[in-house]
Amino acid sequence: TLFAATPYEQLPSEIFSGEWRAGHVQGIAVDTNREYIYFSFTTMLVKMDMQGKVVGTVTGLFGHLGSIEFNDADGRLYGSLEYKNDSIGKGILAQEKIDRQWDTAFYVAIFDVNKIVRENMSAEKDGIMTTVYLPTVYQDFMAKVESNGKTLEHRYGCSGFDGITFGPKFGKSDGKYYLTIAYGIYSDTERGDNDHQVLLQYDTKNWAKYEQPLSQDNMHRNGPAKPESYYFVYTGNTTYGVQNLEYDAESNLWFMAVYKGKKEQFANFSTFVVDGSKAPRKEWLQGVEYIKKGKVLSLLDRGDRDPKNPEIRGWHDNIGAKGLCAIGDGYFYAAHGKKTKEGQDCDARLYRFIGGDKQGFELVK
């Protein structure tokens, strides 16, 4: 089994993050030995032990730190880090009371978590974070496309990327693990090319040559020219795409937690699950005129069925969009965050995935 340490029966059913002056919780991750839990609060990272005692924090990020994932292979923490001048970026700068703009850039942030030993460590200066630039995300974000006779910004509705996890190639349950990211997708009910989730897989074996400390005043552009593979999942449009992407090795399932979409022709589920045992199919992408064919993944044949789109199945759980972490045997921590007088907090609660017709996750008491 992946986890040699605390069995899930002995894990706390709830871990409270405390209150932090930062953005809302975006992601959570637990290390392999289940000694520490990590919380991403948009502009800061919090490291705690499993009893909820703070070990350290990383501050000084003025981009959007989103979903996070602990990587067994190298013992480091990976997160999505975006800098852009859209409503999200402007909101962060207003919250941090900063009067300036950053260059638009999309990075994988990599934290050496063993070095996070005290509060208020600097993401730029304390040697705990490196970054790898993703030009493909930038290109899709900046692209203009022709769809239904209109020129639209952002290929596939790409708003950057958020969800991040490690797992095998789709259609396999073993072999090499790839860093897998999921796009944010703008909510736009008027366009038809934004009804897929977009997943990219990267081989990180030689990423050391790209890794650089981040200088927010001088954004570097070092990163792989393109991903190993590009995949599409037909779900209907969502509000900002896959917030949290999580691979569960035991079941070979990929979990996509989203803020539900607003298009009336879809059921607008909040949880979608990709069946990792099914190989991608080369298909025409519904609503996307500017791509001939793409590699399309299969949703798990369980859950509620979308009455107007029977190939789409999912759940209305509203669990995991602010943080989801698989800890083995179908057990997950999911983040429940709220605004407080002091800022933001998070309860990480233990769930089991039961995958019923109406209920996906069950709270573990």
Side-chain angles (χ1 to χ4, degrees), residues 223-234:
K226 59 183 201 297
E228 298 281 314
S229 300
Y230 232 108
Y231 301 96
F232 299 88
V233 192
Y234 188 63

Side-chain angles (χ1 to χ4, degrees), residues 92-132:
I92 289 168
L93 295 179
Q95 169 208 301
E96 298 290 324
K97 298 184 172 57
I98 290 173
D99 184 24
R100 63 164 290 179
Q101 285 192 331
W102 309 107
D103 295 337
T104 297
F106 302 95
Y107 296 100
V108 174
I110 307 169
F111 296 90
D112 185 342
V113 288
N114 293 329
K115 292 180 179 172
I116 303 174
V117 292
R118 65 179 190 277
E119 290 192 41
N120 288 316
M121 296 187 77
S122 164
E124 288 185 301
K125 300 184 182 74
D126 279 330
I128 45 184
M129 187 185 91
T130 55
T131 49
V132 174

Side-chain angles (χ1 to χ4, degrees), residues 8-248:
Y8 58 84
E9 301 96 330
Q10 292 168 26
L11 288 170
S13 58
E14 197 167 304
I15 303 168
F16 182 60
S17 69
E19 295 181 60
W20 300 97
R21 285 190 181 277
H24 77 74
V25 66
Q26 302 278 350
I28 54 174
V30 174
D31 74 0
T32 316
N33 295 319
R34 298 168 171 170
E35 291 176 359
Y36 301 105
I37 185 167
Y38 302 89
F39 298 85
S40 156
F41 280 100
T42 313
T43 52
M44 74 184 294
L45 181 74
V46 177
K47 176 184 180 180
M48 306 182 97
D49 66 21
M50 297 300 278
Q51 286 68 51
K53 179 170 173 286
V54 178
V55 177
T57 62
V58 181
T59 55
L61 289 167
F62 302 118
H64 175 288
L65 181 66
S67 177
I68 52 176
E69 178 76 5
F70 186 82
N71 181 21
D72 295 341
D74 65 7
R76 297 189 297 174
L77 189 80
Y78 289 65
S80 60
L81 182 60
E82 305 183 315
Y83 291 85
K84 54 189 181 178
N85 293 311
D86 65 356
S87 58
I88 297 174
K90 286 171 183 162
I92 289 168
L93 295 179
Q95 169 208 301
E96 298 290 324
K97 298 184 172 57
I98 290 173
D99 184 24
R100 63 164 290 179
Q101 285 192 331
W102 309 107
D103 295 337
T104 297
F106 302 95
Y107 296 100
V108 174
I110 307 169
F111 296 90
D112 185 342
V113 288
N114 293 329
K115 292 180 179 172
I116 303 174
V117 292
R118 65 179 190 277
E119 290 192 41
N120 288 316
M121 296 187 77
S122 164
E124 288 185 301
K125 300 184 182 74
D126 279 330
I128 45 184
M129 187 185 91
T130 55
T131 49
V132 174
Y133 180 68
L134 297 185
T136 303
V137 183
Y138 178 81
Q139 288 152 14
D140 283 342
F141 176 77
M142 297 300 287
K144 286 186 164 60
V145 293
E146 295 295 320
S147 182
N148 268 343
K150 290 182 186 165
T151 301
L152 300 171
E153 294 193 331
H154 316 297
R155 192 181 287 123
Y156 318 118
C158 170
S159 74
F161 80 107
D162 207 340
I164 189 166
T165 191
F166 282 87
K169 284 214 155 163
F170 292 101
K172 297 194 170 176
S173 60
D174 54 8
K176 181 186 279 190
Y177 269 34
Y178 294 82
L179 177 72
T180 308
I181 68 162
Y183 277 5
I185 306 282
Y186 283 116
S187 172
D188 186 340
T189 57
E190 300 299 309
R191 63 193 285 177
D193 64 335
N194 61 350
D195 294 334
H196 291 79
Q197 303 309 320
V198 183
L199 275 58
L200 277 53
Q201 287 198 316
Y202 290 89
D203 182 353
T204 57
K205 192 176 69 159
N206 296 315
W207 268 25
K209 65 186 176 191
Y210 303 126
E211 284 187 45
Q212 280 198 6
L214 182 68
S215 165
Q216 292 172 119
D217 291 322
N218 184 19
M219 305 282 216
H220 77 83
R221 293 285 187 270
N222 293 335
K226 59 183 201 297
E228 298 281 314
S229 300
Y230 232 108
Y231 301 96
F232 299 88
V233 192
Y234 188 63
T235 60
N237 185 231
T238 52
T239 301
Y240 288 125
V242 178
Q243 294 294 304
N244 273 263
L245 179 68
E246 190 67 9
Y247 177 67
D248 178 52

Side-chain angles (χ1 to χ4, degrees), residues 267 269 300 302-307 310 312-316 356-359:
F269 297 118
L300 183 65
R302 279 161 67 183
D304 210 352
R305 204 181 281 282
D306 185 331
I312 299 175
R313 299 187 76 163
W315 291 270
H316 291 293
D357 280 354
K358 295 292 179 193
Q359 187 184 9

